[in-house]
Amino acid sequence: MSGARIPNILSIAGSDPSGGAGIQADLKSIAACGGYGMAAIAALTVQNTRGVTGVHTPPADFLTGQLQAISGDIRIDAVKIGMLATAEVIEAVTGWLGTQPGTAVVLDPVLVSTSGDRLLEHDAEAALRRLLPLATVVTPNTAELAALLGEPEATGWDAVLGQAERLAHRYNVLVLAKGGHLAGGECPDALVGPDGVHAEVSGPRVDTPNSHGTGCSLSSALATLWARCGDWGDALRLARGWLQDALATAGELEVGGGHGPVNHFSALWAGRMAPSADALLSTWWDGIAGLRSRIDSLTFIRGLRDGSLPAGEFHFYLAQDALYLRTYSQVLSRAAQLAPNREEQSFWAAGAVGALQEEANLHRSRLGATGDPEPSPTTSAYLNHLLASDTSYPQLVAAILPCYWLYQDIGRRLAAASSPGNPYADWLDAYSSPEFDEATAAAIATVQQVAFRADATGLAAMRRAFEESSRHELAFFAQTAADAAAGRVAAPGEVDADGLVGVPSL
């Protein structure tokens, strides 16, 4: 957070004396995600982890006074709205929002709690629908989404997305479609606008009974992280990663005998930083945009696209790539050994086998029975970089990722631009296949979860490893005579116009 403005986030919601939901959860979530939390209390509840047994609503003009006092003195970067128990309270909030044009508003339309209690009076729902167009993002659970549309509750993800799009179109808002209440091992979330899905994130469901205040916490985190990074899709990805950790560690808390709260400060108590845009792999990818453009400009890449690459130069590349893949398979096996859970172990182990199969099938069919050449200095430098990363699982998987991501990106685009009869169509097909797309998406998702788990030092090391591997990929593609003669890669230790440092072998 050093050097960045800390956003001020206002929560307008009800109070939960047990601390797991409502205003209390909002303030914890805002702080955990790097914001300064403020609170205007719209209702007082009698509740604990087992349920809600009473609600007291202060006069609506008292809430208006709270809101005016805050907005008259303090900059508000985003507003999160939770439980508003009566039509009068909703109208008070609606009137105040009319004096705050342009303010980002995340509205969690609290109708039903996790424990199944009805939290909004029925005659207030019409007033809530008048508030909806003033929101930027609406975050209902599946029961609330159906209630706002007057439809039966959806039981499948496609139906949830359809309802979210209808609600988004009706009120011209973004809707956060949530899969937490659906059955199955996966738990998807998606930001849906009137024109369809804008961003979708999925991951394994966290099996825990401690889900009290999950909706409050997610919506507050979303508002805070949007105020920090300025993009709703990125804010959702960060909020999801933070909440998944908070749910996974909720059992460390000993609060109540019902649905316990999530562990809002799990990362802080473990010595990790608040969710940061630096943990988003999309920022890493954007950070190598100049390098990716340089790869596209290589004679080797252009020759692959139109089939004009001399056969001898492709043969040299394949021979070096075959040498690379053998050691790369060992590196993937090492990642499987270091992985902290069975799912990640299985993924990297399968990748190790796949790398050997690729070397055997594509490369040997092209190279025949010719003897192995010596590895070039460029190939050796890349492999030495990967091998030197194997003492740290996060750093190692970050170093591995460009070999998936860059090849998938290049292969997909070259295959789309290739003409019939291209002599290198088999290479293009291998890296633009649905199977490789699936493997690359899984690699990105796996490394993304590792990045979310990393502390500041580990995250910085991961990004350096990713960027260095990307530079080695550029050098690996630039080994052809034409590209080497043109000096398309910086010399050792030199920094080029894109801020890329030459790898040691060049």
Side-chain angles (χ1 to χ4, degrees):
M1 290 292 292
S2 178
R5 186 172 76 170
I6 296 172
N8 298 330
I9 312 300
L10 171 61
S11 169
I12 309 170
S15 171
D16 172 9
S18 73
I23 286 287
Q24 287 82 349
D26 291 345
L27 292 176
K28 292 174 185 177
S29 302
I30 292 165
C33 293
Y36 175 79
M38 303 174 289
I41 299 176
L44 303 173
T45 67
V46 179
Q47 68 172 300
N48 53 28
T49 64
R50 299 180 188 274
V52 180
T53 57
V55 177
H56 171 69
T57 306
D61 59 357
F62 187 78
L63 175 60
T64 298
Q66 294 180 69
L67 297 172
Q68 291 175 342
I70 293 169
S71 59
D73 178 49
I74 303 170
R75 182 192 79 247
I76 300 173
D77 296 304
V79 174
K80 178 268 168 91
I81 300 174
M83 177 185 175
L84 305 176
T86 68
E88 292 78 15
V89 167
I90 296 172
E91 295 293 354
V93 173
T94 302
W96 174 79
L97 280 179
T99 69
Q100 307 295 313
T103 301
V105 177
V106 177
L107 171 60
D108 188 22
V110 181
L111 302 173
V112 183
S113 71
T114 300
S115 54
D117 296 290
R118 188 83 180 189
L119 299 179
L120 185 67
E121 296 178 4
H122 289 279
D123 61 359
E125 289 189 16
L128 181 64
R129 290 186 174 87
R130 292 192 292 273
L131 175 60
L132 284 171
L134 297 179
T136 313
V137 181
V138 183
T139 64
N141 61 33
T142 53
E144 292 159 347
L145 177 60
L148 289 170
L149 288 167
E151 299 177 3
E153 183 175 355
T155 58
W157 181 236
D158 288 343
V160 172
L161 290 177
Q163 287 189 332
E165 186 171 348
R166 288 194 290 279
L167 188 69
H169 185 269
R170 182 176 298 180
Y171 295 103
N172 193 31
V173 294
L174 285 172
V175 175
L176 177 58
K178 298 188 288 190
H181 288 192
L182 300 178
E186 287 293 303
C187 184
D189 289 322
L191 278 170
V192 183
D195 54 349
V197 175
H198 288 207
E200 185 168 351
V201 186
S202 188
R205 184 179 303 278
V206 178
D207 185 14
T208 176
N210 301 308
S211 56
H212 183 53
T214 302
C216 306
S217 301
L218 179 59
S219 56
S220 298
L222 186 67
T224 306
L225 292 164
W226 174 85
R228 288 184 54 200
C229 72
D231 181 270
W232 288 112
D234 285 349
L236 173 60
R237 296 179 186 99
L238 287 168
R240 275 274 313 213
W242 166 78
L243 182 60
Q244 186 172 38
D245 184 62
L247 283 165
T249 60
E252 297 174 5
L253 301 176
E254 298 180 6
V255 181
H259 292 288
V262 306
N263 191 354
H264 297 90
F265 294 118
S266 173
L268 176 65
W269 292 337
R272 301 195 303 273
M273 61 184 177
S276 166
D278 289 339
L280 285 170
L281 266 57
S282 59
T283 66
W284 300 9
W285 185 251
D286 292 343
I288 62 167
L291 183 148
R292 291 188 282 116
S293 178
R294 297 268 296 284
I295 290 176
D296 286 348
S297 72
L298 293 175
T299 301
F300 177 80
I301 295 297
R302 296 199 305 269
L304 280 177
R305 181 177 60 239
D306 60 19
S308 65
L309 182 70
E313 295 199 353
F314 188 65
H315 188 281
F316 171 80
Y317 158 79
L318 275 187
Q320 293 299 314
D321 199 37
L323 292 171
Y324 169 88
L325 284 172
R326 293 177 204 172
T327 301
Y328 183 65
S329 177
Q330 298 172 18
V331 171
L332 290 167
S333 295
R334 177 60 174 163
Q337 294 172 356
L338 295 173
N341 56 63
R342 183 173 298 178
E343 182 180 13
E344 293 177 25
Q345 290 168 359
S346 298
F347 174 72
W348 298 121
V353 174
L356 290 178
Q357 290 175 338
E358 179 185 342
E359 192 271 334
N361 297 335
L362 177 61
H363 294 76
R364 290 302 171 187
S365 65
R366 283 266 189 175
L367 295 172
T370 58
D372 291 335
E374 289 295 318
S376 70
T378 298
T379 302
S380 295
Y382 193 176
L383 293 175
N384 288 338
H385 160 62
L386 292 176
L387 292 169
S389 302
D390 76 350
T391 57
S392 162
Y393 175 68
Q395 189 171 328
L396 180 60
V397 297
I400 288 170
L401 184 58
C403 192
Y404 280 93
W405 205 345
L406 284 170
Y407 268 78
Q408 187 264 351
D409 176 65
I410 293 166
R412 176 179 51 81
R413 290 185 293 105
L414 294 190
S418 179
S419 301
N422 188 320
Y424 307 115
D426 55 346
W427 187 93
L428 300 179
D429 290 344
Y431 292 109
S432 61
S433 67
E435 294 79 11
F436 193 65
D437 285 346
E438 182 179 348
T440 301
I444 293 170
T446 300
V447 178
Q448 179 64 87
Q449 289 305 313
V450 176
F452 282 142
R453 297 196 299 257
D455 60 19
T457 301
L459 185 60
M462 288 182 70
R463 185 160 186 171
R464 286 194 301 270
F466 174 84
E467 291 173 345
E468 186 171 351
S469 287
S470 300
R471 289 193 288 269
H472 280 289
E473 288 288 353
L474 168 60
F476 196 86
F477 284 128
Q479 293 187 83
T480 62
D483 288 315
R488 299 189 189 279
V489 182
E494 291 183 355
V495 180
D496 63 23
D498 292 316
L500 304 176
V501 181
V503 296
S505 62
L506 298 180

